[in-house]
Amino acid sequence: MEFHQDNVAPSAQFAIAAEARADIPARDALLDRAMGPRWKKKSSEKLRRGRLPAEGLAFVARDAAGAVVGTVRLWDVCAGEKRALLLGPLAVDPAAKSAGIGSALMRHAIGEVTRLGHGAILLVGDAPYYARFGFSAGKTGELAMPGPYERHRFLARELAEGALDGARGTLVATGRRVVRERVRAVA
Ligand SMILES: CC(C)(COP(=O)(O)OP(=O)(O)OC[C@H]1O[C@@H](n2cnc3c(N)ncnc32)[C@H](O)[C@@H]1OP(=O)(O)O)[C@@H](O)C(=O)NCCC(=O)NCCS
């Protein structure tokens, strides 16, 4: 596993990896710490609930001890006739903020999305943060989230030029559904 920031204290070292099933409790606890319980109530959550992240597009950042210190996932959605990915939540452990982990997660995610051939990423977030990764509200004017959100925070980046041309309407979740394992009581 390749660690970023080789010449700094071990506490500031981190590596990006695919999220494993075993990471999920630590990831959920990190989201509670970084965002408070509000992350479960966002409009974006309506597009995530009961779905699995897009294939190959859930990542964690681990510190040198292997602890989860950052998370990002992407989700399959339809924007009118157009297919796209919804990114989020992106979060970094408050104790590890401003060490470049959020940026590394974003760059890694965008790289993998491009490699897998997806055309566009949408998200709801702070434009001053996401502008550095090429996101703007320029292509979301005719699109809507399925619930309350602030329009100026609804951002997109095309990976293929024109991927969102003509996209209009409310986003709809299209990802694989979570299949809950049924435990049958044996009489
Ligand atoms: C936003 C977040 C993911 C950034 O992660 P991070 O690892 O601290 O970010 P990086 O180290 O890559 O970048 C730090 C830079 O981003 C800036 N930044 C952080 N949050 C920002 C925001 N909401 N708006 C604008 N700039 C922001 C910092 O000021 C810093 O700027 P500098 O490089 O000029 O010093 C992290 O702070 C976090 O988890 N916040 C709470 C969860 C959240 O709000 N997530 C959604 C973001 S809209």
Side-chain angles (χ1 to χ4, degrees):
M1 187 178 288
E2 190 180 321
F3 278 83
H4 297 249
Q5 301 190 348
D6 286 337
N7 299 319
V8 296
S11 59
Q13 292 186 359
F14 62 91
I16 309 296
E19 179 189 287
R21 190 185 277 233
D23 291 327
I24 292 174
R27 170 198 177 264
D28 289 356
L30 186 157
L31 285 170
D32 285 342
R33 281 200 303 286
M35 308 179 87
R38 72 190 156 96
W39 71 271
K40 291 182 188 139
K41 299 206 171 100
K42 296 186 162 213
S43 295
S44 306
E45 201 54 27
K46 287 194 201 307
L47 295 165
R48 303 192 284 239
R49 197 170 297 129
R51 305 274 175 173
L52 293 170
E55 190 87 48
L57 292 175
F59 306 103
V60 292
R62 297 184 201 286
D63 67 12
V68 174
V69 290
T71 172
V72 69
R73 286 175 168 181
L74 292 110
W75 307 82
D76 292 302
V77 294
C78 256
E81 302 289 301
K82 308 279 179 162
R83 296 165 75 101
L85 293 163
L86 181 74
L87 182 145
L90 167 72
V92 171
D93 193 313
K97 262 185 167 179
S98 291
I101 297 173
S103 297
L105 280 165
M106 284 300 295
R107 284 195 298 269
H108 185 82
I110 292 166
E112 285 300 289
V113 165
T114 307
R115 190 179 68 77
L116 292 170
H118 295 277
I121 305 174
L122 299 154
L123 61 82
V124 178
D126 292 342
Y129 185 69
Y130 289 105
R132 70 194 72 183
F133 311 111
F135 286 81
S136 76
K139 294 273 178 164
T140 59
E142 302 296 321
L143 293 170
M145 291 292 291
Y149 66 102
E150 293 169 280
R151 179 152 281 288
H152 67 277
R153 302 181 77 240
F154 189 25
L155 312 175
R157 173 175 165 179
E158 289 181 340
L159 287 321
E161 204 179 325
L164 290 174
D165 282 357
R168 54 192 309 133
T170 302
L171 300 196
V172 174
T174 58
R176 299 162 295 158
R177 290 186 188 276
V178 174
V179 179
R180 302 208 182 280
E181 286 171 23
R182 289 196 185 162
V183 181
R184 279 201 190 156
V186 180

